[in-house]
Amino acid sequence: MDDVKKSNISFDIVPITDNDKQIVQNSLKKYYLRDEPLSASVGFLEEEESIIRFEKACAGIIKHGVSFMAISAETGEMMGASLNMTVCRSDGIKQYGDENKSSKLNDILILLDKAERETDVFGKYPNVDRMMDLKIITVNEEYRGLGICKALINKSKELALELGYQMMYVQCASHFTAKAVESCGFQCIYSLCYSDYVNKQGEVVFKTQPPHTFLKIHVLLL
């Protein structure tokens, strides 16, 4: 899509409901799983079991009722989404990966679990009891560069403030996602270089493509 056409595109940010589940899942498979650095590096789309588990996880996030999507004002097409969930101190640290199982999704979840444990966000911020976790932020390829990502983050922030959350939290596997949240005032509190993350055999697990060289965790106090 050329720059002239892009400049004429308008969009609305609207809540994602359970009725939107299939639309969101289809878009995530088409764009997010193809482009997201970790899933791309392990060939996530080649493993049906991981795709099914991913879709179930997305459906569970949507049920929290705090997610948003960008919709084209002209066509009604979904252009991007921020899948968010509520996390409370009382929930404790949950483990999503299973080291005893072998799958592409598990490889990713084990890394994200490690980052979450090492960050210990509730230990680091004793006055925070409830936060919004931006689990997935994605914009469809042809609509990037329109400010959709920032609009999704800002809309999520509005709801977080309205609901009395004390923090927003996001794990950024992508260099571009990290830049987007930083432009919205988020602070990086954790960083892990992918080339330093190895398996028991000393092999690098995620051979991501530049500029995606770090997994970062960012927070925004509200």
Side-chain angles (χ1 to χ4, degrees), residues 118-142:
E118 292 180 352
T119 303
D120 184 21
V121 68
F122 284 117
K124 194 181 297 289
Y125 297 94
N127 294 325
V128 172
D129 293 313
R130 194 165 62 135
M131 65 182 184
M132 179 181 284
D133 185 350
L134 282 62
K135 281 291 184 188
I136 294 175
I137 307 173
T138 180
V139 177
N140 297 0
E141 184 177 24
E142 63 262 42

Side-chain angles (χ1 to χ4, degrees), residues 19-159:
N19 293 332
D20 303 311
K21 180 174 62 178
Q22 195 61 57
I23 296 171
V24 173
Q25 289 173 339
N26 289 344
S27 181
L28 291 176
K29 281 193 290 184
K30 184 175 181 181
Y31 298 103
Y32 176 76
L33 289 178
R34 183 196 66 189
D35 298 336
E36 196 276 335
L38 297 180
S39 60
S41 72
V42 298
F44 194 101
L45 286 170
E46 299 168 9
E47 190 172 80
E48 187 65 24
E49 176 196 348
S50 286
I51 293 173
I52 293 170
R53 287 182 60 199
F54 174 79
E55 289 178 333
K56 288 181 179 178
C58 289
I61 295 171
I62 290 171
K63 285 186 181 296
H64 281 249
V66 291
S67 297
F68 292 95
M69 60 182 173
I71 296 293
S72 167
E74 288 78 22
T75 66
E77 177 189 2
M78 177 182 146
M79 304 163 73
S82 180
L83 269 60
N84 311 325
M85 61 186 289
T86 303
V87 180
C88 300
R89 178 182 293 274
S90 58
D91 295 337
I93 296 178
K94 294 184 178 181
Q95 182 170 315
Y96 295 98
D98 186 344
E99 295 184 359
N100 297 315
K101 293 183 179 180
S102 177
S103 76
K104 298 180 187 302
L105 178 60
N106 250 346
D107 289 343
I108 294 172
L109 292 177
I110 289 167
L111 169 62
L112 299 181
D113 285 345
K114 168 185 168 67
E116 189 167 320
R117 286 194 309 272
E118 292 180 352
T119 303
D120 184 21
V121 68
F122 284 117
K124 194 181 297 289
Y125 297 94
N127 294 325
V128 172
D129 293 313
R130 194 165 62 135
M131 65 182 184
M132 179 181 284
D133 185 350
L134 282 62
K135 281 291 184 188
I136 294 175
I137 307 173
T138 180
V139 177
N140 297 0
E141 184 177 24
E142 63 262 42
Y143 298 120
R144 291 167 190 165
L146 296 173
I148 291 174
C149 183
K150 191 169 186 177
L152 287 164
I153 294 169
N154 286 337
K155 193 67 174 179
S156 299
K157 179 182 176 181
E158 286 179 18
L159 180 60

